[in-house]
Amino acid sequence: MLRSIGALFLLIVAVAQVSAEGYDGYKIYEVTPLTKAQCDLLKDLSKRTDAYDFFSLSRQPLHPARVMVSPNDVNTFEKFLQNNKLQFKVLNKNIGRTIEREFNINQLFRSISPITGKGRLSTERYYNHEEINTYIEDLAKRYPTRVFIKTVGYSYERRHVKTITITNGDGRENKNVVFMDGGFHAREWISPAAVLYVIDQLVENFAENANLLLDYDWVILPVVNPDGYEHTQKSTLSRMWRKTRQPYSLLGVTCYGADPNRNFDFHWNEEGASSNPCVDTYAGPKPFSEPETIIVRDIMHTLKGRGIMYLTIHSYGNYLLYPWGWTSDLPDTWEDLDEVARAGGDAIKEATGTEYSVGSSTNVLYIAAGASDDYGFYAGFPISITMELSGGGLTGFDPPASKIDEYVKETWIGINAMAKKVVEKYPLEKTGFL
Ligand code: 0X9
Ligand code: ZN
């Protein structure tokens, strides 16, 4: 008892030393466009300058955008809003302090709340990449006939990137496959948390979900971008990091990382991406410049013919998005995509009342080319969906740990419904790959 109190004290001292200076004095604004013209104004502003960090930007009037602004840019920003009669409120006057508080709580729980503290996956806090890898490896040891781990590659900083394949253990090969990933964007911590919960449900709640594993195996990559994810866990200074961590230099300035969701070789860097390595949506110097996106691409190609649904988990905004994200055109089979996505949205609405907007990425959210969902669809997955989970905290990317349980359970309801629809629409005999 005394020892654990001592450990806790040391921990508090250690985390208290983490400074908030990274985002000290940064403000968070909620700006609500009332007209289409005001939506366009905000969109132009987000494109024109990197001074403002748009955490969310919607195409529709009345859908609020959330923007983080540095202390130096606050005056200019407010003037712009006033001049254009844009409605706004300040959600947080000093996000640095808020991030620090939430970050420290998670750190504090690190030593007293292990990932499987209660035997099953615990949803009490966010986990780091190593804990996640250990968790899936332990599952494979506990369920050796149903669960398999594969090291599928290495991140830029040489972290082991692992997939977990979940089967029903009947030994049949070449089943259809659901390929799901999380942790593309480093700061979206709720994504790996939700993916872990899906793993828990498929493995530990096998009897209840056996129908999802009869004709289908699930290949799951919980953290696509572990370097970025770890960077956000290192200190509050980097909590809002989005990209990978490979260094890139431009005009003598070195900036880090590319946006993995702009790095795929399909209409690469055409729209909604940047050629500036210092920008959050940097597409990379060339398609597949990042080892992390090569890994995802190779998994997709390996599953050719068997891969039916590709599901990539992001946050935030409550969207179920399908191709295309590079053009406002819809694919010929958009009704199939819509049917599956809507099954997820409807199930969530019925269970919790949370509303998800369903539609093509470009039409519902914004245009952005070079993303994994478009690539997966192009590479042969008939269903390819980006799920943007609920937001939380003040940035939207920082739901407090106390919200994890509620969010991941809600997410699972949607994923379960989409998977049921896919299993029904694409049975093995129909797809005929056996
Ligand atoms: O911009 C993104 O990469 C995704 N949103 S996020 O806030 N998580 O960054 C949306 C991607 C949607 N898909 C395509 N545009 N193809
Ligand atoms: Zn994302």
Side-chain angles (χ1 to χ4, degrees):
M1 178 68 182
L2 270 179
R3 231 176 10 168
S4 58
I5 291 174
L8 205 64
F9 175 72
L10 283 178
L11 206 81
I12 293 169
V13 172
V15 293
Q17 281 164 356
V18 176
S19 122
E21 78 187 84
Y23 301 98
D24 204 21
Y26 280 61
K27 286 187 180 174
I28 305 274
Y29 290 83
E30 189 177 80
V31 186
T32 311
L34 300 177
T35 61
K36 180 79 179 57
Q38 287 190 328
C39 283
D40 292 344
L41 262 177
L42 277 181
K43 202 167 93 185
D44 287 350
L45 182 72
S46 75
K47 276 190 184 163
R48 214 173 46 227
T49 165
D50 305 320
Y52 314 126
D53 199 344
F54 278 82
F55 291 153
S56 68
L57 184 63
S58 167
R59 298 172 55 85
Q60 295 154 11
L62 297 178
H63 278 224
R66 215 173 269 200
V67 196
M68 181 166 79
V69 183
S70 77
N72 289 340
D73 298 312
V74 154
N75 286 341
T76 330
F77 184 65
E78 288 197 6
K79 252 186 215 128
F80 172 86
L81 297 179
Q82 280 150 5
N83 289 346
N84 291 289
K85 302 204 167 28
L86 274 152
Q87 221 177 63
F88 72 95
K89 60 180 173 207
V90 179
L91 290 184
N92 190 288
K93 283 192 204 136
N94 187 350
I95 190 61
R97 243 177 254 147
T98 310
I99 290 177
E100 184 185 14
R101 204 171 37 240
E102 286 165 8
F103 192 91
N104 289 349
I105 290 170
N106 202 57
Q107 293 293 97
L108 198 63
F109 272 99
R110 182 141 285 160
S111 64
I112 50 180
S113 171
I115 190 162
T116 50
K118 291 181 181 144
R120 287 273 290 272
L121 171 75
S122 152
T123 51
E124 280 169 352
R125 65 173 173 88
Y126 296 102
Y127 303 105
N128 66 27
H129 184 240
E130 202 184 315
E131 288 170 313
I132 292 173
N133 272 352
T134 308
Y135 169 71
I136 58 174
E137 270 157 10
D138 285 350
L139 266 188
K141 279 185 205 133
R142 284 174 51 220
Y143 298 98
T145 57
R146 289 199 274 122
V147 177
F148 308 93
I149 303 298
K150 188 171 169 193
T151 298
V152 281
Y154 298 88
S155 66
Y156 177 76
E157 290 173 353
R158 304 295 297 166
R159 290 192 170 81
H160 291 233
V161 179
K162 294 175 194 245
T163 52
I164 172 169
T165 298
I166 304 171
T167 74
N168 68 355
D170 67 6
R172 276 194 300 146
E173 286 177 5
N174 293 320
K175 288 184 178 180
N176 288 345
V177 173
V178 173
F179 172 36
M180 179 170 74
D181 65 40
F184 249 83
H185 290 138
R187 62 193 174 192
E188 297 166 13
W189 287 7
I190 196 65
S191 159
V195 171
L196 286 183
Y197 191 74
V198 173
I199 294 171
D200 168 87
Q201 290 301 303
L202 291 171
V203 176
E204 307 265 17
N205 237 357
F206 169 66
E208 221 170 277
N209 298 307
N211 59 328
L212 301 181
L213 290 154
L214 196 61
D215 285 348
Y216 279 69
D217 293 336
W218 288 59
V219 177
I220 302 178
L221 171 49
V223 189
V224 170
N225 172 16
D227 299 349
Y229 186 63
E230 285 306 292
H231 190 60
T232 61
Q233 304 236 344
K234 253 201 323 243
S235 92
T236 54
L237 310 187
S238 45
R239 174 63 187 87
M240 285 302 128
W241 190 255
R242 169 179 166 97
K243 300 187 284 177
T244 56
R245 290 296 297 164
Q246 180 161 203
Y248 289 110
S249 294
L250 183 73
L251 304 169
V253 179
T254 300
C255 284
Y256 288 83
D259 182 342
N261 219 25
R262 301 290 182 276
N263 193 236
F264 284 71
D265 194 4
F266 183 69
H267 295 274
W268 175 80
N269 206 10
E270 282 179 14
E271 293 284 350
S274 172
S275 301
N276 178 349
C278 303
V279 167
D280 256 355
T281 51
Y282 178 45
K286 58 176 188 205
F288 294 123
S289 55
E290 309 306 288
E292 296 82 0
T293 56
I294 291 177
I295 290 172
V296 174
R297 175 198 69 189
D298 290 350
I299 295 172
M300 287 172 170
H301 289 183
T302 313
L303 294 174
K304 189 143 189 74
R306 300 170 58 210
I308 305 296
M309 173 155 79
Y310 170 61
L311 184 58
T312 180
I313 309 297
H314 287 248
S315 73
Y316 67 92
N318 300 112
Y319 294 103
L320 282 156
L321 307 168
Y322 49 79
W324 300 110
W326 69 275
T327 167
S328 56
D329 292 350
L330 290 172
D332 292 343
T333 56
W334 73 268
E335 279 160 306
D336 295 327
L337 293 153
D338 196 75
E339 189 186 351
V340 174
R342 241 165 247 289
D346 290 349
I348 291 177
K349 171 86 180 137
E350 199 184 310
T352 66
T354 302
E355 283 203 47
Y356 271 71
S357 305
V358 177
S360 88
S361 298
T362 306
N363 295 328
V364 172
L365 189 60
Y366 44 64
I367 195 161
S372 70
D373 49 6
D374 278 5
Y375 190 88
F377 188 68
Y378 152 78
F381 285 76
I383 300 298
S384 179
I385 289 174
T386 295
M387 189 171 185
E388 299 270 3
L389 307 189
S390 293
L394 276 157
T395 65
F397 298 111
D398 57 334
S402 57
K403 281 269 178 200
I404 298 173
D405 197 63
E406 178 190 327
Y407 282 13
V408 300
K409 284 180 176 152
E410 178 176 271
T411 305
W412 166 242
I413 290 169
I415 293 177
N416 187 1
M418 289 192 283
K420 275 190 179 138
K421 180 61 78 183
V422 164
V423 164
E424 171 197 312
K425 262 176 88 70
Y426 303 91
L428 203 48
E429 61 270 23
K430 200 160 154 201
T431 42
F433 297 127
L434 273 186

